Amino acid sequence: MVWDLKISNGTVVSGSEMFQANVYIKDGAIGAITNETLEEEASETIDATGKHVLPGLIDTHIHSRDPGPTYKEDFAHSTRAAAAGGITTVFEMPNTTPPVNNAANFDLQKENLSQKAYVDFGLWAICIGPLNNANIKELNAKGVIGFKFFWGYAVHKETYQLMYNYKPGMENVIPPFDDGDVYEMMEEVEKTGKLFAVHAESSELIQKLTDRVEKQGGSSYEDLLEGRPNLAEVLTVAKGIEMAKASGVRFHVLHVSTKEAVDTIRDVQKQGYPITVETCPHYMFLSNEDYEQIGPQMKVYPPVKYKKDQVGIWEGIADGTISHVCSDHAPHTEEEKDGDLWSIPAGMCGVESMASLMLNAVNDGKLSIKDLVRLLSEEPAKLFGIYPKKGAIRVSTDADITIVDMEKEMVIKRENLHSKSKVTAFDGFKVKGVPTHTIVRGKIIMKDGNIIGEKGTGELVISGSNKAGVVS
Ligand code: DOR
Ligand code: ZN
């Protein structure tokens, strides 16, 4: 037999151990992990001496807007960016046009993205209350990764596009769902055993406070935070927790931005409830104090908060309250982001810079490389029901591998990003620790920053239900 690929002499890392080994790959799967040199030849060899060999990194939260406003981003661009940044699997958010709201649209999306994907992908489904409660079961059977609910967002009547800056009285808009609607969605998703994941910000509070600040003529970042305060997040998190306890749904808080929410979730986890939470690099590495230098590029929802929140988030990472880190890659064009802080859209690129920022944090002593593997690969795979096919370097699992050079230095530059939009808060950030190879099911997609893989290589990843027998 001839191996397809050999990764020689690297340090293989999992969430719990690290050892020197050669990794042999055949037919897209890992065939052997050994400190010996096997007799059989390999068609191709990567010398990983001095490098770390990680299970392929997973970004569980990206918005490629495809189909939809693809002038901002599309799946070919976002997955090239993912590959450039060492990511082997992405989970695509469902706020597309059409959204992933029923089985037929799931199939359309699978078809659409399969033709464009440079890396593997999973699909989130959207929850839009009474508009698709009846479709939750079929979406689960299709293998969606989880169910996303944009709590507090209004949606367009025909397209179900999210309305980012909703004001009561807007035309052709379905206003944000009420608690009764949310509870019913939870009941439906509970039957699948999959995650009910929420964007947690109280729209009632935000509307009232933002209106007030705007009327006073406020236009600074501090004003934005006054209109969209920490309370907006923790209110919704606390309510969601109580509703999750009652409904039994697997509640997951997306992109946490406040210390208060992290502390609340820690407490409920201690009581034994399986409630989970993720965060993103911008909440780990930025605070309001960076706005002066970075400017509107760093506007995201929920907004980046204060230094004490950054500290609280790091505490949540250190003690395991926070399950994993994802990018919330949500590009808008440069033109759209160039305006007054109230009216510009929230969101920025993230999928390409996440791994390097995290590797840099390892070099800074904030994390261990095993922690990084846990946060960017192992836990996401476990949480979303695709482990150990993904998230592990183990014989017979998918040969998804990210090789990193912990000594290599790089400056993140907007012009080097592979996304359509170049909007990032991290332009000019110096990092030490860079992915050098992205390997998806044995195929080298990125080598030394160059994309050498092909469009359409990525395949859909199916998540089984956590409840036996639900997926038919
Ligand atoms: O900043 C954000 N951008 N937050 C969201 O919730 C949505 C996202 C987007 O799609 O632009
Ligand atoms: Zn998002």
Side-chain angles (χ1 to χ4, degrees), residues 63 65 95 148 150 153 162 164 199 255 299-302 328 330-332 346-348:
H63 301 261
R65 319 200 181 288
N95 56 324
K148 164 121 186 213
F150 291 84
Y153 277 83
L162 298 181
Y164 291 110
H199 178 118
H255 45 48
K299 179 180 171 184
V300 290
Y301 287 162
D328 197 7
H332 299 280
M348 62 175 163

